[in-house]
Amino acid sequence: MPILFFAAAGALFAGGTGGGWYMWKRGLQEAAKQLQHQDAEAAKQALRDAIDLAGLRNEAQAAGLDPDEVVAGYKKMRDEQLSPQDVLRKLGQAAVSG
């Protein structure tokens, strides 16, 4: 936790700048380490999403559907802009009209 290093740095600055400066630097290092870890996790998730979307596009194309529309619908559902009930309603309308 970098906040602990920053708190210790504040306390040590009052007593002597050498120890305070060291703790401040450690806090910055810890914060950078946490950001690097978060960035790595975000990159992994983006890669998983891209892989999933590629598979979804392939399946849609194999089923004779427009891959762009399928991906757009998936993203709306993922972002909770579209509920499963909305999808079922649209499918029901398409079945009646088709």
Side-chain angles (χ1 to χ4, degrees), residues 7-93:
L12 288 174
F13 270 127
T17 58
W21 184 252
Y22 170 77
M23 294 305 282
W24 181 262
K25 287 295 211 177
R26 280 292 290 149
L28 291 176
Q29 289 172 347
E30 287 295 316
K33 194 185 312 180
Q34 284 184 353
L35 285 175
Q36 185 179 20
H37 179 72
Q38 290 171 354
D39 288 347
E41 287 299 317
K44 285 181 195 176
Q45 185 61 43
L47 185 57
R48 282 193 295 268
D49 289 346
I51 291 169
D52 292 343
L53 289 180
L56 182 62
R57 291 181 74 80
N58 290 339
E59 288 180 33
Q61 196 168 23
L65 302 171
D66 180 10
D68 293 330
E69 286 186 27
V70 172
V71 169
Y74 165 76
K75 287 181 178 179
K76 283 183 180 178
M77 280 187 62
R78 181 191 65 196
D79 299 336
E80 297 182 20
Q81 297 172 2
L82 186 67
S83 70
Q85 289 79 16
D86 293 335
V87 173
L88 291 174
R89 193 173 326 112
K90 294 281 186 183
L91 288 173
Q93 290 172 354

